[in-house]
Amino acid sequence: MARLTGTRPVATRRWGSLGRSHLPAAQKADFSGDSTAATINHSLTLLQRLQELLQNGNGSDSVLRVRSAASDEPKVFHTHQLLLSLQSEVFESLLRNQSVVTLHEPPETAALFEKFIRYLYCGGVSILLHQAIPMHQLASKYRVWGLQRGVAEYMRTHLASESSQGHVVGWYHYAVRVGDAALQESCLQFLAWNLSAVLGSAEWGSVSVELLLLLLERSDLVLHSELELYTAVEGWLSRRQPEAPVAERVLRAIRYPMIAPSQLFRLQAQSAVLARHRGAVQDLLFQAFQFHAASPLHFAKYFDVNCSMFLPRNYLAPSWGSQWVITNPARDDRSTSFQTQLGPSSHDAGKRVTWNVLFSPRWLPVSLRPVYSDSVAGAIQPVRIEDGRPRLVITPAMSSPDFAGVSFQKTVLVGVRQQGRVLVKHAYSFHQSSDEAADFLAQADLQKRTSEYLIDNSLHLHIIIKPVYHSLIKVKK
């Protein structure tokens, strides 16, 4: 449960604390230089009195009757016009010429109306995951902008919270309906970077066609393999049974060249969904088999490989990269090495590339490094630990003629523990022309054991190498 505090609580509108920060400038000047000045603050008592005012209805001059389809009897609130009007222009208009107002609310928002009114009196409210959308709806309907912003921020910062039925997909669909672009992007990014967790959850079945297609377009999806994605999409199609054009559009967004030929043969033989829509994807399957049969250089002479179909996503399978857990990362430099496949084509199935990785917790740019001098005036200036920044360098341990026609995109996933779960917080990507990400963990304070980037004082990384092929033909626009 989280508690939201409004940016304009009633207690500070007219009856703020008696501290100097709330005094007029002339009175502040009177305090300057006076050692006997003190602050008398009874704001908490005032908030308690306001709560009692709502609870007991003392001095009430207006009545709200909230009706809902879930109950025959309305909920009645004895309120005070001044306090409601201070927070909501809608209530100010409704109560201008009448003292009794009947409001009609859906069951979900009616159940939270008492919490909503309490916020108007006291500037704070506690909510749970399943209450976020109806509370946001109330704040939007009655134009309580501080509460609306607070709930939206709560949703953006609680995407990782664990719930029995899942909530991120529902929040994304709600953000689309209300036009909250920031919440939409936050939900999309969370789903993309933690897709494997979503595919196996109850909320996968509630993904809309529009959201599914948006996800399938992305190359930054984090999941075990393309086959895992196909299996999840097949289950979604079986449950939802969309019209044929929609199903075919979804199936054509699968990157079949990223699936091994043996697995493609099995899908053709066993997948009922693929059998039903074989005609719509037959050309993609044939092209995938051609891709696996020929060398990438030969294939690139006849087909455009500069398209998403031949671009790997962020696959967690061992052939694409390696996990690296760095214990006590602030202590000193570390290094490791691992091997990946040269490329997804079966033609290169036996070829491996060895990668060397160097991690430095306090690397200093040249501009900040000490300069040695014999003169006293040119003495070395002390360098503080905080002047350095984390650095991760990834380089191939060898060069090979097999690298012709292919470059390598490196992606580094940073895992963190949020709400009891290990999830991806950041993904850094850089290409062969660069051996490191310029802003790697720029905001992370690895010196603190309590850093949000550390799990049990360890930095959890997953390094992924993605081969990117280059066309050797001119493609007609």
Side-chain angles (χ1 to χ4, degrees), residues 61-65 79-82 84-85 90-103:
D61 59 1
S62 55
V63 176
L64 302 181
R65 297 168 59 86
T79 59
H80 304 80
Q81 181 179 349
L82 174 62
L84 298 187
S85 299
V90 173
F91 280 127
E92 181 180 16
S93 176
L94 287 173
L95 297 171
R96 184 171 294 143
N97 298 314
Q98 55 185 333
S99 59
V100 179
V101 176
T102 299
L103 305 172

mmCIF file with all atom_site columns, all heavy atoms in Angstrom, residues 61-65 79-82 84-85 90-103:
data_model
loop_
_atom_site.group_PDB
_atom_site.id
_atom_site.type_symbol
_atom_site.label_atom_id
_atom_site.label_alt_id
_atom_site.label_comp_id
_atom_site.label_asym_id
_atom_site.label_entity_id
_atom_site.label_seq_id
_atom_site.pdbx_PDB_ins_code
_atom_site.Cartn_x
_atom_site.Cartn_y
_atom_site.Cartn_z
_atom_site.occupancy
_atom_site.B_iso_or_equiv
_atom_site.pdbx_formal_charge
_atom_site.auth_seq_id
_atom_site.auth_comp_id
_atom_site.auth_asym_id
_atom_site.auth_atom_id
_atom_site.pdbx_PDB_model_num
ATOM 1   N N   . ASP A 1 61  ? -22.515 22.054 5.382   1.00 0.00 ? 61  ASP A N   1
ATOM 2   C CA  . ASP A 1 61  ? -23.435 22.905 4.629   1.00 0.00 ? 61  ASP A CA  1
ATOM 3   C C   . ASP A 1 61  ? -23.749 22.332 3.253   1.00 0.00 ? 61  ASP A C   1
ATOM 4   O O   . ASP A 1 61  ? -24.335 23.008 2.409   1.00 0.00 ? 61  ASP A O   1
ATOM 5   C CB  . ASP A 1 61  ? -22.864 24.324 4.491   1.00 0.00 ? 61  ASP A CB  1
ATOM 6   C CG  . ASP A 1 61  ? -21.519 24.344 3.784   1.00 0.00 ? 61  ASP A CG  1
ATOM 7   O OD1 . ASP A 1 61  ? -21.036 23.262 3.387   1.00 0.00 ? 61  ASP A OD1 1
ATOM 8   O OD2 . ASP A 1 61  ? -20.943 25.434 3.633   1.00 0.00 ? 61  ASP A OD2 1
ATOM 9   N N   . SER A 1 62  ? -23.323 21.085 3.014   1.00 0.00 ? 62  SER A N   1
ATOM 10  C CA  . SER A 1 62  ? -23.615 20.448 1.727   1.00 0.00 ? 62  SER A CA  1
ATOM 11  C C   . SER A 1 62  ? -23.643 18.926 1.926   1.00 0.00 ? 62  SER A C   1
ATOM 12  O O   . SER A 1 62  ? -23.020 18.390 2.838   1.00 0.00 ? 62  SER A O   1
ATOM 13  C CB  . SER A 1 62  ? -22.565 20.827 0.671   1.00 0.00 ? 62  SER A CB  1
ATOM 14  O OG  . SER A 1 62  ? -21.265 20.518 1.127   1.00 0.00 ? 62  SER A OG  1
ATOM 15  N N   . VAL A 1 63  ? -24.384 18.245 1.039   1.00 0.00 ? 63  VAL A N   1
ATOM 16  C CA  . VAL A 1 63  ? -24.540 16.792 1.128   1.00 0.00 ? 63  VAL A CA  1
ATOM 17  C C   . VAL A 1 63  ? -24.281 16.180 -0.253  1.00 0.00 ? 63  VAL A C   1
ATOM 18  O O   . VAL A 1 63  ? -24.833 16.649 -1.255  1.00 0.00 ? 63  VAL A O   1
ATOM 19  C CB  . VAL A 1 63  ? -25.950 16.399 1.609   1.00 0.00 ? 63  VAL A CB  1
ATOM 20  C CG1 . VAL A 1 63  ? -26.123 14.882 1.606   1.00 0.00 ? 63  VAL A CG1 1
ATOM 21  C CG2 . VAL A 1 63  ? -26.218 16.959 3.003   1.00 0.00 ? 63  VAL A CG2 1
ATOM 22  N N   . LEU A 1 64  ? -23.433 15.152 -0.278  1.00 0.00 ? 64  LEU A N   1
ATOM 23  C CA  . LEU A 1 64  ? -23.190 14.396 -1.508  1.00 0.00 ? 64  LEU A CA  1
ATOM 24  C C   . LEU A 1 64  ? -23.833 13.030 -1.367  1.00 0.00 ? 64  LEU A C   1
ATOM 25  O O   . LEU A 1 64  ? -23.578 12.303 -0.401  1.00 0.00 ? 64  LEU A O   1
ATOM 26  C CB  . LEU A 1 64  ? -21.689 14.234 -1.757  1.00 0.00 ? 64  LEU A CB  1
ATOM 27  C CG  . LEU A 1 64  ? -20.849 15.514 -1.874  1.00 0.00 ? 64  LEU A CG  1
ATOM 28  C CD1 . LEU A 1 64  ? -19.387 15.151 -2.148  1.00 0.00 ? 64  LEU A CD1 1
ATOM 29  C CD2 . LEU A 1 64  ? -21.386 16.433 -2.966  1.00 0.00 ? 64  LEU A CD2 1
ATOM 30  N N   . ARG A 1 65  ? -24.692 12.674 -2.321  1.00 0.00 ? 65  ARG A N   1
ATOM 31  C CA  . ARG A 1 65  ? -25.341 11.363 -2.340  1.00 0.00 ? 65  ARG A CA  1
ATOM 32  C C   . ARG A 1 65  ? -24.773 10.601 -3.540  1.00 0.00 ? 65  ARG A C   1
ATOM 33  O O   . ARG A 1 65  ? -24.992 10.974 -4.693  1.00 0.00 ? 65  ARG A O   1
ATOM 34  C CB  . ARG A 1 65  ? -26.857 11.507 -2.472  1.00 0.00 ? 65  ARG A CB  1
ATOM 35  C CG  . ARG A 1 65  ? -27.500 12.236 -1.277  1.00 0.00 ? 65  ARG A CG  1
ATOM 36  C CD  . ARG A 1 65  ? -28.945 12.628 -1.583  1.00 0.00 ? 65  ARG A CD  1
ATOM 37  N NE  . ARG A 1 65  ? -29.765 11.468 -1.890  1.00 0.00 ? 65  ARG A NE  1
ATOM 38  C CZ  . ARG A 1 65  ? -30.386 10.722 -0.971  1.00 0.00 ? 65  ARG A CZ  1
ATOM 39  N NH1 . ARG A 1 65  ? -30.260 11.039 0.321   1.00 0.00 ? 65  ARG A NH1 1
ATOM 40  N NH2 . ARG A 1 65  ? -31.110 9.675  -1.319  1.00 0.00 ? 65  ARG A NH2 1
ATOM 41  N N   . THR A 1 79  ? -20.685 17.187 3.920   1.00 0.00 ? 79  THR A N   1
ATOM 42  C CA  . THR A 1 79  ? -19.425 17.854 3.579   1.00 0.00 ? 79  THR A CA  1
ATOM 43  C C   . THR A 1 79  ? -19.505 19.353 3.797   1.00 0.00 ? 79  THR A C   1
ATOM 44  O O   . THR A 1 79  ? -20.521 19.891 4.246   1.00 0.00 ? 79  THR A O   1
ATOM 45  C CB  . THR A 1 79  ? -19.063 17.558 2.116   1.00 0.00 ? 79  THR A CB  1
ATOM 46  O OG1 . THR A 1 79  ? -20.125 18.021 1.268   1.00 0.00 ? 79  THR A OG1 1
ATOM 47  C CG2 . THR A 1 79  ? -18.860 16.056 1.900   1.00 0.00 ? 79  THR A CG2 1
ATOM 48  N N   . HIS A 1 80  ? -18.414 20.022 3.439   1.00 0.00 ? 80  HIS A N   1
ATOM 49  C CA  . HIS A 1 80  ? -18.307 21.470 3.614   1.00 0.00 ? 80  HIS A CA  1
ATOM 50  C C   . HIS A 1 80  ? -17.889 22.078 2.287   1.00 0.00 ? 80  HIS A C   1
ATOM 51  O O   . HIS A 1 80  ? -16.833 21.746 1.739   1.00 0.00 ? 80  HIS A O   1
ATOM 52  C CB  . HIS A 1 80  ? -17.283 21.791 4.707   1.00 0.00 ? 80  HIS A CB  1
ATOM 53  C CG  . HIS A 1 80  ? -17.604 21.131 6.015   1.00 0.00 ? 80  HIS A CG  1
ATOM 54  N ND1 . HIS A 1 80  ? -17.304 19.807 6.263   1.00 0.00 ? 80  HIS A ND1 1
ATOM 55  C CD2 . HIS A 1 80  ? -18.227 21.619 7.131   1.00 0.00 ? 80  HIS A CD2 1
ATOM 56  C CE1 . HIS A 1 80  ? -17.718 19.496 7.488   1.00 0.00 ? 80  HIS A CE1 1
ATOM 57  N NE2 . HIS A 1 80  ? -18.270 20.574 8.041   1.00 0.00 ? 80  HIS A NE2 1
ATOM 58  N N   . GLN A 1 81  ? -18.732 22.927 1.775   1.00 0.00 ? 81  GLN A N   1
ATOM 59  C CA  . GLN A 1 81  ? -18.562 23.458 0.428   1.00 0.00 ? 81  GLN A CA  1
ATOM 60  C C   . GLN A 1 81  ? -17.203 24.123 0.237   1.00 0.00 ? 81  GLN A C   1
ATOM 61  O O   . GLN A 1 81  ? -16.552 23.954 -0.792  1.00 0.00 ? 81  GLN A O   1
ATOM 62  C CB  . GLN A 1 81  ? -19.679 24.466 0.128   1.00 0.00 ? 81  GLN A CB  1
ATOM 63  C CG  . GLN A 1 81  ? -19.595 25.066 -1.276  1.00 0.00 ? 81  GLN A CG  1
ATOM 64  C CD  . GLN A 1 81  ? -20.729 26.032 -1.547  1.00 0.00 ? 81  GLN A CD  1
ATOM 65  O OE1 . GLN A 1 81  ? -21.679 26.098 -0.776  1.00 0.00 ? 81  GLN A OE1 1
ATOM 66  N NE2 . GLN A 1 81  ? -20.625 26.796 -2.615  1.00 0.00 ? 81  GLN A NE2 1
ATOM 67  N N   . LEU A 1 82  ? -16.751 24.868 1.234   1.00 0.00 ? 82  LEU A N   1
ATOM 68  C CA  . LEU A 1 82  ? -15.486 25.579 1.105   1.00 0.00 ? 82  LEU A CA  1
ATOM 69  C C   . LEU A 1 82  ? -14.332 24.616 0.863   1.00 0.00 ? 82  LEU A C   1
ATOM 70  O O   . LEU A 1 82  ? -13.502 24.821 -0.039  1.00 0.00 ? 82  LEU A O   1
ATOM 71  C CB  . LEU A 1 82  ? -15.211 26.409 2.363   1.00 0.00 ? 82  LEU A CB  1
ATOM 72  C CG  . LEU A 1 82  ? -13.840 27.093 2.416   1.00 0.00 ? 82  LEU A CG  1
ATOM 73  C CD1 . LEU A 1 82  ? -13.703 28.087 1.275   1.00 0.00 ? 82  LEU A CD1 1
ATOM 74  C CD2 . LEU A 1 82  ? -13.637 27.781 3.768   1.00 0.00 ? 82  LEU A CD2 1
ATOM 75  N N   . LEU A 1 84  ? -14.369 21.456 -0.272  1.00 0.00 ? 84  LEU A N   1
ATOM 76  C CA  . LEU A 1 84  ? -14.459 20.773 -1.565  1.00 0.00 ? 84  LEU A CA  1
ATOM 77  C C   . LEU A 1 84  ? -14.097 21.717 -2.708  1.00 0.00 ? 84  LEU A C   1
ATOM 78  O O   . LEU A 1 84  ? -13.406 21.329 -3.664  1.00 0.00 ? 84  LEU A O   1
ATOM 79  C CB  . LEU A 1 84  ? -15.861 20.215 -1.779  1.00 0.00 ? 84  LEU A CB  1
ATOM 80  C CG  . LEU A 1 84  ? -16.363 19.154 -0.774  1.00 0.00 ? 84  LEU A CG  1
ATOM 81  C CD1 . LEU A 1 84  ? -17.699 18.600 -1.236  1.00 0.00 ? 84  LEU A CD1 1
ATOM 82  C CD2 . LEU A 1 84  ? -15.351 18.037 -0.613  1.00 0.00 ? 84  LEU A CD2 1
ATOM 83  N N   . SER A 1 85  ? -14.540 22.948 -2.616  1.00 0.00 ? 85  SER A N   1
ATOM 84  C CA  . SER A 1 85  ? -14.297 23.915 -3.688  1.00 0.00 ? 85  SER A CA  1
ATOM 85  C C   . SER A 1 85  ? -12.825 24.298 -3.790  1.00 0.00 ? 85  SER A C   1
ATOM 86  O O   . SER A 1 85  ? -12.327 24.611 -4.874  1.00 0.00 ? 85  SER A O   1
ATOM 87  C CB  . SER A 1 85  ? -15.144 25.177 -3.464  1.00 0.00 ? 85  SER A CB  1
ATOM 88  O OG  . SER A 1 85  ? -16.533 24.864 -3.474  1.00 0.00 ? 85  SER A OG  1
ATOM 89  N N   . VAL A 1 90  ? -14.872 21.332 -10.117 1.00 0.00 ? 90  VAL A N   1
ATOM 90  C CA  . VAL A 1 90  ? -16.139 20.668 -10.441 1.00 0.00 ? 90  VAL A CA  1
ATOM 91  C C   . VAL A 1 90  ? -17.100 20.770 -9.263  1.00 0.00 ? 90  VAL A C   1
ATOM 92  O O   . VAL A 1 90  ? -18.276 21.116 -9.427  1.00 0.00 ? 90  VAL A O   1
ATOM 93  C CB  . VAL A 1 90  ? -15.890 19.195 -10.814 1.00 0.00 ? 90  VAL A CB  1
ATOM 94  C CG1 . VAL A 1 90  ? -17.220 18.457 -10.995 1.00 0.00 ? 90  VAL A CG1 1
ATOM 95  C CG2 . VAL A 1 90  ? -15.062 19.101 -12.089 1.00 0.00 ? 90  VAL A CG2 1
ATOM 96  N N   . PHE A 1 91  ? -16.603 20.477 -8.065  1.00 0.00 ? 91  PHE A N   1
ATOM 97  C CA  . PHE A 1 91  ? -17.461 20.612 -6.884  1.00 0.00 ? 91  PHE A CA  1
ATOM 98  C C   . PHE A 1 91  ? -17.837 22.068 -6.645  1.00 0.00 ? 91  PHE A C   1
ATOM 99  O O   . PHE A 1 91  ? -18.940 22.375 -6.196  1.00 0.00 ? 91  PHE A O   1
ATOM 100 C CB  . PHE A 1 91  ? -16.764 20.032 -5.652  1.00 0.00 ? 91  PHE A CB  1
ATOM 101 C CG  . PHE A 1 91  ? -16.839 18.542 -5.565  1.00 0.00 ? 91  PHE A CG  1
ATOM 102 C CD1 . PHE A 1 91  ? -15.694 17.776 -5.395  1.00 0.00 ? 91  PHE A CD1 1
ATOM 103 C CD2 . PHE A 1 91  ? -18.056 17.884 -5.670  1.00 0.00 ? 91  PHE A CD2 1
ATOM 104 C CE1 . PHE A 1 91  ? -15.754 16.397 -5.320  1.00 0.00 ? 91  PHE A CE1 1
ATOM 105 C CE2 . PHE A 1 91  ? -18.127 16.497 -5.600  1.00 0.00 ? 91  PHE A CE2 1
ATOM 106 C CZ  . PHE A 1 91  ? -16.983 15.757 -5.425  1.00 0.00 ? 91  PHE A CZ  1
ATOM 107 N N   . GLU A 1 92  ? -16.930 22.961 -6.934  1.00 0.00 ? 92  GLU A N   1
ATOM 108 C CA  . GLU A 1 92  ? -17.239 24.381 -6.780  1.00 0.00 ? 92  GLU A CA  1
ATOM 109 C C   . GLU A 1 92  ? -18.428 24.776 -7.651  1.00 0.00 ? 92  GLU A C   1
ATOM 110 O O   . GLU A 1 92  ? -19.320 25.510 -7.225  1.00 0.00 ? 92  GLU A O   1
ATOM 111 C CB  . GLU A 1 92  ? -16.016 25.224 -7.149  1.00 0.00 ? 92  GLU A CB  1
ATOM 112 C CG  . GLU A 1 92  ? -16.227 26.725 -6.994  1.00 0.00 ? 92  GLU A CG  1
ATOM 113 C CD  . GLU A 1 92  ? -14.995 27.527 -7.362  1.00 0.00 ? 92  GLU A CD  1
ATOM 114 O OE1 . GLU A 1 92  ? -14.088 26.966 -8.011  1.00 0.00 ? 92  GLU A OE1 1
ATOM 115 O OE2 . GLU A 1 92  ? -14.943 28.717 -7.010  1.00 0.00 ? 92  GLU A OE2 1
ATOM 116 N N   . SER A 1 93  ? -18.472 24.244 -8.873  1.00 0.00 ? 93  SER A N   1
ATOM 117 C CA  . SER A 1 93  ? -19.573 24.544 -9.776  1.00 0.00 ? 93  SER A CA  1
ATOM 118 C C   . SER A 1 93  ? -20.857 23.836 -9.347  1.00 0.00 ? 93  SER A C   1
ATOM 119 O O   . SER A 1 93  ? -21.943 24.439 -9.352  1.00 0.00 ? 93  SER A O   1
ATOM 120 C CB  . SER A 1 93  ? -19.203 24.116 -11.198 1.00 0.00 ? 93  SER A CB  1
ATOM 121 O OG  . SER A 1 93  ? -20.265 24.312 -12.091 1.00 0.00 ? 93  SER A OG  1
ATOM 122 N N   . LEU A 1 94  ? -20.752 22.556 -8.940  1.00 0.00 ? 94  LEU A N   1
ATOM 123 C CA  . LEU A 1 94  ? -21.932 21.779 -8.556  1.00 0.00 ? 94  LEU A CA  1
ATOM 124 C C   . LEU A 1 94  ? -22.628 22.356 -7.326  1.00 0.00 ? 94  LEU A C   1
ATOM 125 O O   . LEU A 1 94  ? -23.863 22.334 -7.225  1.00 0.00 ? 94  LEU A O   1
ATOM 126 C CB  . LEU A 1 94  ? -21.542 20.327 -8.282  1.00 0.00 ? 94  LEU A CB  1
ATOM 127 C CG  . LEU A 1 94  ? -21.192 19.458 -9.494  1.00 0.00 ? 94  LEU A CG  1
ATOM 128 C CD1 . LEU A 1 94  ? -20.656 18.098 -9.035  1.00 0.00 ? 94  LEU A CD1 1
ATOM 129 C CD2 . LEU A 1 94  ? -22.415 19.257 -10.383 1.00 0.00 ? 94  LEU A CD2 1
ATOM 130 N N   . LEU A 1 95  ? -21.854 22.865 -6.386  1.00 0.00 ? 95  LEU A N   1
ATOM 131 C CA  . LEU A 1 95  ? -22.416 23.324 -5.106  1.00 0.00 ? 95  LEU A CA  1
ATOM 132 C C   . LEU A 1 95  ? -22.705 24.814 -5.081  1.00 0.00 ? 95  LEU A C   1
ATOM 133 O O   . LEU A 1 95  ? -23.088 25.351 -4.036  1.00 0.00 ? 95  LEU A O   1
ATOM 134 C CB  . LEU A 1 95  ? -21.441 22.973 -3.974  1.00 0.00 ? 95  LEU A CB  1
ATOM 135 C CG  . LEU A 1 95  ? -21.192 21.469 -3.756  1.00 0.00 ? 95  LEU A CG  1
ATOM 136 C CD1 . LEU A 1 95  ? -20.056 21.248 -2.774  1.00 0.00 ? 95  LEU A CD1 1
ATOM 137 C CD2 . LEU A 1 95  ? -22.470 20.789 -3.267  1.00 0.00 ? 95  LEU A CD2 1
ATOM 138 N N   . ARG A 1 96  ? -22.555 25.472 -6.203  1.00 0.00 ? 96  ARG A N   1
ATOM 139 C CA  . ARG A 1 96  ? -22.745 26.924 -6.220  1.00 0.00 ? 96  ARG A CA  1
ATOM 140 C C   . ARG A 1 96  ? -24.187 27.313 -5.912  1.00 0.00 ? 96  ARG A C   1
ATOM 141 O O   . ARG A 1 96  ? -24.438 28.248 -5.167  1.00 0.00 ? 96  ARG A O   1
ATOM 142 C CB  . ARG A 1 96  ? -22.311 27.475 -7.582  1.00 0.00 ? 96  ARG A CB  1
ATOM 143 C CG  . ARG A 1 96  ? -22.366 29.002 -7.677  1.00 0.00 ? 96  ARG A CG  1
ATOM 144 C CD  . ARG A 1 96  ? -21.710 29.472 -8.957  1.00 0.00 ? 96  ARG A CD  1
ATOM 145 N NE  . ARG A 1 96  ? -20.281 29.184 -8.953  1.00 0.00 ? 96  ARG A NE  1
ATOM 146 C CZ  . ARG A 1 96  ? -19.589 28.808 -10.020 1.00 0.00 ? 96  ARG A CZ  1
ATOM 147 N NH1 . ARG A 1 96  ? -20.208 28.652 -11.179 1.00 0.00 ? 96  ARG A NH1 1
ATOM 148 N NH2 . ARG A 1 96  ? -18.291 28.581 -9.932  1.00 0.00 ? 96  ARG A NH2 1
ATOM 149 N N   . ASN A 1 97  ? -25.151 26.574 -6.457  1.00 0.00 ? 97  ASN A N   1
ATOM 150 C CA  . ASN A 1 97  ? -26.560 26.945 -6.285  1.00 0.00 ? 97  ASN A CA  1
ATOM 151 C C   . ASN A 1 97  ? -27.394 25.848 -5.637  1.00 0.00 ? 97  ASN A C   1
ATOM 152 O O   . ASN A 1 97  ? -28.625 25.901 -5.676  1.00 0.00 ? 97  ASN A O   1
ATOM 153 C CB  . ASN A 1 97  ? -27.168 27.309 -7.652  1.00 0.00 ? 97  ASN A CB  1
ATOM 154 C CG  . ASN A 1 97  ? -26.480 28.505 -8.279  1.00 0.00 ? 97  ASN A CG  1
ATOM 155 O OD1 . ASN A 1 97  ? -26.235 29.509 -7.620  1.00 0.00 ? 97  ASN A OD1 1
ATOM 156 N ND2 . ASN A 1 97  ? -26.144 28.384 -9.566  1.00 0.00 ? 97  ASN A ND2 1
ATOM 157 N N   . GLN A 1 98  ? -26.767 24.843 -5.089  1.00 0.00 ? 98  GLN A N   1
ATOM 158 C CA  . GLN A 1 98  ? -27.506 23.775 -4.426  1.00 0.00 ? 98  GLN A CA  1
ATOM 159 C C   . GLN A 1 98  ? -26.654 23.170 -3.324  1.00 0.00 ? 98  GLN A C   1
ATOM 160 O O   . GLN A 1 98  ? -25.427 23.193 -3.382  1.00 0.00 ? 98  GLN A O   1
ATOM 161 C CB  . GLN A 1 98  ? -27.909 22.689 -5.428  1.00 0.00 ? 98  GLN A CB  1
ATOM 162 C CG  . GLN A 1 98  ? -26.756 22.108 -6.224  1.00 0.00 ? 98  GLN A CG  1
ATOM 163 C CD  . GLN A 1 98  ? -27.196 21.118 -7.295  1.00 0.00 ? 98  GLN A CD  1
ATOM 164 O OE1 . GLN A 1 98  ? -28.234 20.491 -7.167  1.00 0.00 ? 98  GLN A OE1 1
ATOM 165 N NE2 . GLN A 1 98  ? -26.401 20.983 -8.358  1.00 0.00 ? 98  GLN A NE2 1
ATOM 166 N N   . SER A 1 99  ? -27.300 22.667 -2.324  1.00 0.00 ? 99  SER A N   1
ATOM 167 C CA  . SER A 1 99  ? -26.577 22.116 -1.180  1.00 0.00 ? 99  SER A CA  1
ATOM 168 C C   . SER A 1 99  ? -26.630 20.583 -1.152  1.00 0.00 ? 99  SER A C   1
ATOM 169 O O   . SER A 1 99  ? -25.886 19.963 -0.385  1.00 0.00 ? 99  SER A O   1
ATOM 170 C CB  . SER A 1 99  ? -27.143 22.670 0.126   1.00 0.00 ? 99  SER A CB  1
ATOM 171 O OG  . SER A 1 99  ? -28.531 22.350 0.236   1.00 0.00 ? 99  SER A OG  1
ATOM 172 N N   . VAL A 1 100 ? -27.493 19.965 -1.946  1.00 0.00 ? 100 VAL A N   1
ATOM 173 C CA  . VAL A 1 100 ? -27.597 18.510 -2.017  1.00 0.00 ? 100 VAL A CA  1
ATOM 174 C C   . VAL A 1 100 ? -27.354 18.086 -3.465  1.00 0.00 ? 100 VAL A C   1
ATOM 175 O O   . VAL A 1 100 ? -28.065 18.522 -4.374  1.00 0.00 ? 100 VAL A O   1
ATOM 176 C CB  . VAL A 1 100 ? -28.967 17.999 -1.539  1.00 0.00 ? 100 VAL A CB  1
ATOM 177 C CG1 . VAL A 1 100 ? -29.029 16.477 -1.654  1.00 0.00 ? 100 VAL A CG1 1
ATOM 178 C CG2 . VAL A 1 100 ? -29.247 18.442 -0.110  1.00 0.00 ? 100 VAL A CG2 1
ATOM 179 N N   . VAL A 1 101 ? -26.348 17.256 -3.677  1.00 0.00 ? 101 VAL A N   1
ATOM 180 C CA  . VAL A 1 101 ? -25.978 16.834 -5.034  1.00 0.00 ? 101 VAL A CA  1
ATOM 181 C C   . VAL A 1 101 ? -25.961 15.308 -5.079  1.00 0.00 ? 101 VAL A C   1
ATOM 182 O O   . VAL A 1 101 ? -25.398 14.662 -4.193  1.00 0.00 ? 101 VAL A O   1
ATOM 183 C CB  . VAL A 1 101 ? -24.582 17.374 -5.420  1.00 0.00 ? 101 VAL A CB  1
ATOM 184 C CG1 . VAL A 1 101 ? -24.172 16.837 -6.786  1.00 0.00 ? 101 VAL A CG1 1
ATOM 185 C CG2 . VAL A 1 101 ? -24.586 18.889 -5.412  1.00 0.00 ? 101 VAL A CG2 1
ATOM 186 N N   . THR A 1 102 ? -26.603 14.762 -6.118  1.00 0.00 ? 102 THR A N   1
ATOM 187 C CA  . THR A 1 102 ? -26.582 13.314 -6.330  1.00 0.00 ? 102 THR A CA  1
ATOM 188 C C   . THR A 1 102 ? -25.586 12.988 -7.434  1.00 0.00 ? 102 THR A C   1
ATOM 189 O O   . THR A 1 102 ? -25.653 13.543 -8.534  1.00 0.00 ? 102 THR A O   1
ATOM 190 C CB  . THR A 1 102 ? -27.976 12.798 -6.726  1.00 0.00 ? 102 THR A CB  1
ATOM 191 O OG1 . THR A 1 102 ? -28.893 13.079 -5.659  1.00 0.00 ? 102 THR A OG1 1
ATOM 192 C CG2 . THR A 1 102 ? -27.945 11.292 -6.959  1.00 0.00 ? 102 THR A CG2 1
ATOM 193 N N   . LEU A 1 103 ? -24.658 12.103 -7.120  1.00 0.00 ? 103 LEU A N   1
ATOM 194 C CA  . LEU A 1 103 ? -23.615 11.704 -8.063  1.00 0.00 ? 103 LEU A CA  1
ATOM 195 C C   . LEU A 1 103 ? -23.792 10.237 -8.428  1.00 0.00 ? 103 LEU A C   1
ATOM 196 O O   . LEU A 1 103 ? -24.121 9.417  -7.569  1.00 0.00 ? 103 LEU A O   1
ATOM 197 C CB  . LEU A 1 103 ? -22.233 11.915 -7.448  1.00 0.00 ? 103 LEU A CB  1
ATOM 198 C CG  . LEU A 1 103 ? -21.926 13.318 -6.924  1.00 0.00 ? 103 LEU A CG  1
ATOM 199 C CD1 . LEU A 1 103 ? -20.606 13.325 -6.159  1.00 0.00 ? 103 LEU A CD1 1
ATOM 200 C CD2 . LEU A 1 103 ? -21.879 14.322 -8.064  1.00 0.00 ? 103 LEU A CD2 1
#
